[in-house]
Amino acid sequence: TIVEEYLKKQFRNHRYAHMCRAALDLVVPPFSKIDDLSSKYNLSNSQFRDLFAKVIGCSPKQFHRTRRINCIIGEHDKVNSLTKLAFKYGYFDQPHFINDFKSVTGFTPSRFSRKSLLHNPALLNS
């Protein structure tokens, strides 16, 4: 929600407002595929990636990966199974999920899901 509001406000009248809409398509489940978005905005894949990175500040892949992991973390208290959440958000193999999770959070999913980390966010900084 915070990301959505920021992007809407930042790019409301910007000449690259379509990149904001593309970012929102990557943020809101069901997540759009980058190939589909580049076609939607009449750009080649490389043009889309370059423009997205220029306007948003990171690659579409990084943006999408971070958002997926944030969704999983946000729902972890409700579902309490990172495996089920990983599947829900499009991860079909454990190594891919673990690598993405660690690249975003700095922790493996098993270390992150320990009760002490979930209930004491200060430990995440250590």
Side-chain angles (χ1 to χ4, degrees), residues 16-26 32-56 58-61 63-64:
Y16 295 124
H18 60 291
M19 284 295 105
C20 173
R21 289 189 296 274
L24 291 175
D25 287 339
L26 289 170
S32 296
K33 294 182 179 178
I34 294 169
D35 290 346
D36 296 340
L37 291 174
S38 59
S39 294
K40 180 178 178 178
Y41 296 107
N42 296 316
L43 298 168
S44 70
N45 287 345
S46 61
Q47 288 174 318
F48 179 81
R49 283 191 302 272
D50 292 346
L51 186 57
F52 189 96
K54 178 182 174 184
V55 174
I56 303 300
C58 65
S59 72
K61 186 175 181 176
F63 190 85
H64 179 65

Side-chain angles (χ1 to χ4, degrees), residues 4-95:
E4 282 182 61
E5 291 307 314
Y6 171 78
L7 289 171
K8 286 177 186 174
K9 186 177 178 182
Q10 283 295 111
F11 296 101
R12 181 171 292 128
N13 297 315
H14 195 276
R15 69 182 182 150
Y16 295 124
H18 60 291
M19 284 295 105
C20 173
R21 289 189 296 274
L24 291 175
D25 287 339
L26 289 170
V27 167
V28 180
F31 303 112
S32 296
K33 294 182 179 178
I34 294 169
D35 290 346
D36 296 340
L37 291 174
S38 59
S39 294
K40 180 178 178 178
Y41 296 107
N42 296 316
L43 298 168
S44 70
N45 287 345
S46 61
Q47 288 174 318
F48 179 81
R49 283 191 302 272
D50 292 346
L51 186 57
F52 189 96
K54 178 182 174 184
V55 174
I56 303 300
C58 65
S59 72
K61 186 175 181 176
Q62 285 176 298
F63 190 85
H64 179 65
R65 178 188 317 130
T66 301
R67 184 59 186 140
R68 285 168 75 189
I69 297 299
N70 284 336
C71 288
I72 290 168
I73 290 169
E75 289 187 36
H76 187 257
D77 281 343
K78 292 181 242 169
V79 175
N80 205 23
S81 169
L82 288 175
T83 303
K84 287 180 184 176
L85 288 170
F87 185 72
K88 175 182 176 180
Y89 284 97
Y91 287 100
F92 297 106
D93 62 78
Q94 195 173 22

